Amino acid sequence: MQPVNIELSPSSEALEGEFHQGDYLQRIGVRQISPSTSPFDPGYDPLTLEGHLQQSAHLMSILKISMACWIIANESATRRKVAAARRYGVPTVTGGGPFEIAVAQGQLSAYLDLCADIGVTRVECGEGFTEMPLPAAEVVKMAHQRGLQVQFELGKKHAGAFNAEAVDQLIEQGRKWLDAGALQLVVEARESARGVGLFDDEGNFNADFADRFASAFGFDIVLFEAPNKPSQFRLLDHFGPEVHLCNVRLEELLRVEIYRRGLHSDAFSNPKLRPRVENVAVQKAA
Amino acid sequence: MQPVNIELSPSSEALEGEFHQGDYLQRIGVRQISPSTSPFDPGYDPLTLEGHLQQSAHLMSILKISMACWIIANESATRRKVAAARRYGVPTVTGGGPFEIAVAQGQLSAYLDLCADIGVTRVECGEGFTEMPLPAAEVVKMAHQRGLQVQFELGKKHAGAFNAEAVDQLIEQGRKWLDAGALQLVVEARESARGVGLFDDEGNFNADFADRFASAFGFDIVLFEAPNKPSQFRLLDHFGPEVHLCNVRLEELLRVEIYRRGLHSDAFSNPKLRPRVENVAVQKAA
Amino acid sequence: MQPVNIELSPSSEALEGEFHQGDYLQRIGVRQISPSTSPFDPGYDPLTLEGHLQQSAHLMSILKISMACWIIANESATRRKVAAARRYGVPTVTGGGPFEIAVAQGQLSAYLDLCADIGVTRVECGEGFTEMPLPAAEVVKMAHQRGLQVQFELGKKHAGAFNAEAVDQLIEQGRKWLDAGALQLVVEARESARGVGLFDDEGNFNADFADRFASAFGFDIVLFEAPNKPSQFRLLDHFGPEVHLCNVRLEELLRVEIYRRGLHSDAFSNPKLRPRVENVAVQKAA
């Protein structure tokens, strides 16, 4: 038995068989949806990550390599993960935590050099547990010089659920980062979706505040962290299939996506999500 | 580094070493048990699934490809999973959710065509969140025409814990499906085993109702969904090693199976489960 | 497509790229820490385990092959796991449960023969749910005769949180096992860290009792089971980066290790953990 390096790659073979999933989905009225979930890797092994890419790359908008885990992992494993995502056409983004630490330790240049060298597409910036002394424009410029895109995370990790004033300030902060060149904004919910951002201490979802972000920025710009089943289902129930979710665990990605398409038993009764037979006709006519 | 396609297969090599697990299990009095757990795949990647098959195929009665996840996954990944199970001698069954949606959308024939083409052994039917207009006999006939076996799921997903009347009706419904040609019945517990079927809102197990299903159908026919540790342990504590469990997460399968054999610290004191030294003599004599 | 056996191995290639994780960690003041976490495998598939070894072997002190799962798994899969760990330079230890059952069933010799033959480095002994009739010296001698190291687990699985008297007795018991030749001691917390050992029924951590174990034995000898996020974070907050944790799930290992290094958002404000810029100077001077 010889040691081998495994590298999965997108299959170029034609599909086997006579009946296909895509045709069936069209028949039952499932609408076409472009990738609208950004899953995250909080420390999976490289093989598991590659398996998920093989299975679900077409559903991933951008893959987050989460927290500082990738910096202390075996560097070959980290590079392998980023390369695998690229092979499957999925962009990658590092999380906001290591960015904040880099700024606090006075090493932002070195951090961005490392991110660019590892090959990620984008970095997330934020002020979740630190204060940022640098202006947005300067940070974005430093990233762009290294070929890196920028997204910004709105919200504090340790300040509890939002109040109306906080929402106002975050929307203003988001605008500032967009003006400076950031591409997207992320609304913080941590790993719990409890006592943080849009979710109170019991995990209740504040739909009014969520609407304010959505109407201020639109679904192409604003992503909502949805780290667990209740937050995922509440956001999809409220907004329908267009909402862009992030921080979804890889093994939960398919469940989120069947919910988004009304194919989960809890989603099928929701008229915003349920597949419609009239869609069939429309798609056939197209 | 060349991209390769990985395909695990059951090892045909003789076991290495001088001492073996099977001999040891016999020495400590662990009884032989035929595969009695149906694990489920709620969206694992194909490599992880294949690794579990390599490790535990001999403990799996039938593998459930759960919910509608497989329909929106990359079709090659879905076909690969089903083919891997076949290679390891494990039959496969699709979950009840997509069946119900197929019926509701008027596309049952297309659904069964797809299942047969993908290569699954069996489909699960049910009325968990919809009402079924079609008679059991017609559904079973349509499945059989495509070479597919049938199992039926008993219980509603959103109607809370069973009462005595519901149990009566479900037993009657189960008999009807068996008469029509279904092979097995599944008692619903969702992912939570709380506020559903045999489990009340605090997760307490209704042993009397469970006994009614067991005595009506026997352990060869009725499977109990046991999606988490408390439900798994309660069912095994109550019924002993013969009970057939399903909806067990793949990474929990080995824990369920050591519990079933009395090899878990919480099972060892239960006389129904604890391995018995007298078994040793019996097995030696055999 | 030919079936192949996959075997990952530590990469011997030089790292790609110009900027590297190690240099960056030094720049931001992260101290060098020798492997201080013993992750456990409660039933993962062999490929996932090998992926984690590839990614994190340098962070693992010893890998626990947990409970009796490995004895009922496919034997080739078990041997493959142990061989993979050895290839990555990570020692392995079997859990205390199967040891206790072996003693209770009168088959300790056969158990140790099997462990040695499978290739594990060490066995864990304990009295978590049984009483041990054999003296420590005899057990250690039997293990040593087969080339196996010994560690001992302190605490009962079903007796609730420690009281002061229990701590005294466990420290005495630990000394006896060390005198007999055991190398390390493990403080029991099960999978829950609730109502067991150092953790009360609400999961509150008893820092005084933990300190007693640490000062009696030191961090080279005593390991604390930390099976979930709250127990992991509490132990690191209290003791700082030197504490040795065990029973950490493989997919949580990197999160524990970034917390230990002050690179997690919840750890960065803790002066015991936060990376220090003065470390940079010290490391440069060294």
Side-chain angles (χ1 to χ4, degrees), chain C residues 48-57 60 63 81 84-85 88 90:
Chain C
T48 294
L49 177 65
E50 289 179 56
H52 280 294
L53 285 164
Q54 187 187 56
Q55 179 168 267
S56 303
M60 300 180 186
L63 173 70
K81 285 180 170 181
Y88 279 92
V90 177

Side-chain angles (χ1 to χ4, degrees), chain A:
Chain A
M1 198 155 66
Q2 276 293 86
V4 297
N5 270 306
I6 307 159
E7 190 174 298
L8 300 180
S9 61
S11 174
S12 56
E13 305 164 55
L15 285 176
E16 303 164 52
E18 189 183 347
F19 295 94
H20 299 295
Q21 296 171 186
D23 301 332
Y24 177 69
L25 290 172
Q26 197 179 322
R27 267 175 184 274
I28 59 171
V30 173
R31 57 199 110 186
Q32 301 271 359
I33 297 173
S34 56
S36 305
T37 296
S38 168
F40 80 132
D41 168 11
Y44 294 98
D45 67 285
L47 287 179
T48 294
L49 176 66
E50 288 177 57
H52 280 294
L53 285 164
Q54 187 186 55
Q55 179 168 268
S56 303
H58 60 296
L59 302 167
M60 299 180 187
S61 60
I62 187 165
L63 173 69
K64 183 180 281 188
I65 307 294
S66 191
M67 300 187 288
C69 295
W70 62 273
I71 310 179
I72 65 161
N74 179 295
E75 186 171 316
S76 298
T78 297
R79 288 180 182 271
R80 178 182 171 154
K81 285 180 169 181
V82 173
R86 191 181 312 114
R87 213 159 53 240
Y88 279 91
V90 177
T92 46
V93 57
T94 52
F99 167 83
E100 295 193 48
I101 290 172
V103 172
Q105 303 296 86
Q107 295 292 340
L108 181 57
S109 293
Y111 173 71
L112 295 173
D113 286 340
L114 181 63
C115 291
D117 199 78
I118 294 288
V120 299
T121 316
R122 185 187 290 189
V123 293
E124 182 175 293
C125 306
E127 298 185 275
F129 56 100
T130 58
E131 299 298 324
M132 255 288 277
L134 304 174
E138 188 179 329
V139 173
V140 174
K141 188 180 157 201
M142 289 172 72
H144 285 179
Q145 283 168 341
R146 290 160 180 85
L148 294 165
Q149 301 173 355
V150 170
Q151 68 186 36
F152 188 79
E153 186 176 46
L154 298 168
K156 291 287 180 191
K157 291 185 194 297
H158 306 117
F162 294 151
N163 56 33
E165 196 190 334
V167 172
D168 288 339
Q169 289 168 356
L170 292 172
I171 288 174
E172 196 189 314
Q173 188 182 32
R175 291 213 172 98
K176 220 163 33 183
W177 279 83
L178 294 175
D179 289 345
L183 294 180
Q184 288 186 309
L185 302 169
V186 171
V187 180
E188 172 76 77
R190 305 207 69 190
E191 281 187 72
S192 62
R194 274 179 180 263
V196 60
L198 301 171
F199 300 92
D200 72 13
D201 289 352
E202 281 73 44
N204 297 309
F205 170 66
N206 191 317
D208 289 342
F209 290 166
D211 284 339
R212 293 212 46 216
F213 287 104
S215 63
F217 301 116
F219 292 136
D220 287 341
I221 300 294
V222 71
L223 283 69
F224 295 94
E225 290 189 356
N228 56 18
K229 185 169 156 173
S231 55
Q232 291 154 8
F233 288 11
R234 283 299 288 117
L235 281 155
L236 288 165
D237 279 333
H238 177 66
F239 283 124
E242 309 300 327
V243 65
H244 198 148
L245 302 182
C246 60
N247 280 24
V248 170
R249 295 180 69 85
L250 279 166
E251 77 272 25
E252 297 181 356
L253 173 61
L254 287 174
R255 188 176 66 195
V256 165
E257 294 307 307
I258 62 171
Y259 201 96
R260 185 188 293 281
R261 286 159 178 77
L263 299 175
H264 187 284
S265 58
D266 294 344
F268 191 65
S269 63
N270 183 340
K272 288 187 197 163
L273 299 171
R274 181 177 185 141
R276 274 174 286 200
V277 182
E278 56 266 39
N279 289 350
V280 179
V282 172
Q283 291 184 18
K284 273 186 184 154

Side-chain angles (χ1 to χ4, degrees), chain C residues 63-67 70 92-96 98 111 115 120 122-125 151:
Chain C
L63 173 70
K64 184 180 280 187
I65 307 293
S66 192
M67 301 188 287
W70 63 273
T92 45
V93 57
T94 52
Y111 173 71
C115 290
V120 299
R122 184 187 291 189
V123 293
E124 182 174 293
C125 307
Q151 67 186 35

